Amino acid sequence: MGMACLEQIFDFAVIGGGAAGLWALRGLRDKKVVIIEGNARLGAKVLASGGGKCNFTNRFLSPENFICSNPHFIKSFLAKFGTDQVLDFIDYHNIPYEERDNGKLFTLSGANSIVQALLEDGESENHQFLMECLVQDVEKLSDKELFAIETSSGKVLARKVIVASGGLSFPKLGATNIAAKIARKFGMKVEPLKPALAGLRYPENVASDFVSLTGIAITAQATVGKRMFQDQLLFTHRGFSGPLALNCSLFVDGATEIQFDFVPGLDVAALIQENHGGKKSLVNILSEYLPKAVVKVLLQGREFNLAQMKKAEVEAVGQAFNRHTMVISQVDGYDRAEVTRGGLSVDEVFPKTMECRKCPGLYFIGEALDVTGMLGGYNIHWAWASAQMLVNGLE
């Protein structure tokens, strides 16, 4: 990787050397390109994803797995760039992988094999790199068809600019708000930015009870709005985490009601009635399905005589386990969120090229746009898909 000579004019300046930027680079081999990256390494977030194994796509891609202010926008992308297209790339580079729960596809050789494959595909003597370099501003020169990019290493001139800088999540990996700053500067609509795929903070009225469950994980179900999820739920010292909580966080907007079923598939009220008059305690019966500590918290420390339980008590216990409603008002911040929800409105770009309608020569791809996927490889797939659409538009 050669360092960039700032005195020349580049065909493209790519802001961000992550998943979207590196995929786009594969289609720009014959162009004079400078990649501006704030980290010391390329693909830092890719390397950290999936516990270092990189959940690179999902077998069951669907528009339902994405959130966007314009729901129809994502459909055309998935029709043209689905799981098979990503697997073509993976197979070409002989990267071994495995399929896990809910169609998640992970490498077996580690996330670095993905980054190295991207760099191999994009390798060109026409490409130069500015590493550990922060973009401060972008302007379009009125007297020339050029963009001037102000960076911590000096001014870069380019005919076209690709914003692939991601969102605000994981600031320790170099995340900044430069994408939103650039979009607003050129008068484009930016949907509100929020941390997403983040833990759910306990409501204050139950926090002291649930903190005692820290470290326990169960399989649970949650309904938020019209969405229902079933996955692992982890209790932590500050709130719910695990895949179930992270997916729910996408739909938390202010005070949001979430209904939890802590024993999906089991009707607790019916179970109590079946054991009416039995010798086992209610705690012991329910502990066959959940850790005893969870059972005690959900029962709020109450002891029940099965033979004497009234109908109202049976229904109340059933609700505590199967229809436990909480109002969640807060999720973890950007330092713990996997992605950023919001970004440049998709209506501001041409979907076939990713070029901005209001500013020719300026492109946005990946997480910088208002497209957010659920947990399971959907966000990195969106990075690949949007970058490929840009490349196709240049041909």
Side-chain angles (χ1 to χ4, degrees), residues 28 70 151 322 346:
L28 300 173
N70 180 349
T151 80
N322 293 130
V346 296

Side-chain angles (χ1 to χ4, degrees), residues 327-347:
V327 176
I328 304 292
S329 300
Q330 189 178 3
V331 304
D332 285 339
Y334 288 114
D335 60 326
R336 293 174 179 269
E338 296 207 6
V339 294
T340 301
R341 182 173 176 178
L344 176 67
S345 170
V346 296
D347 294 332

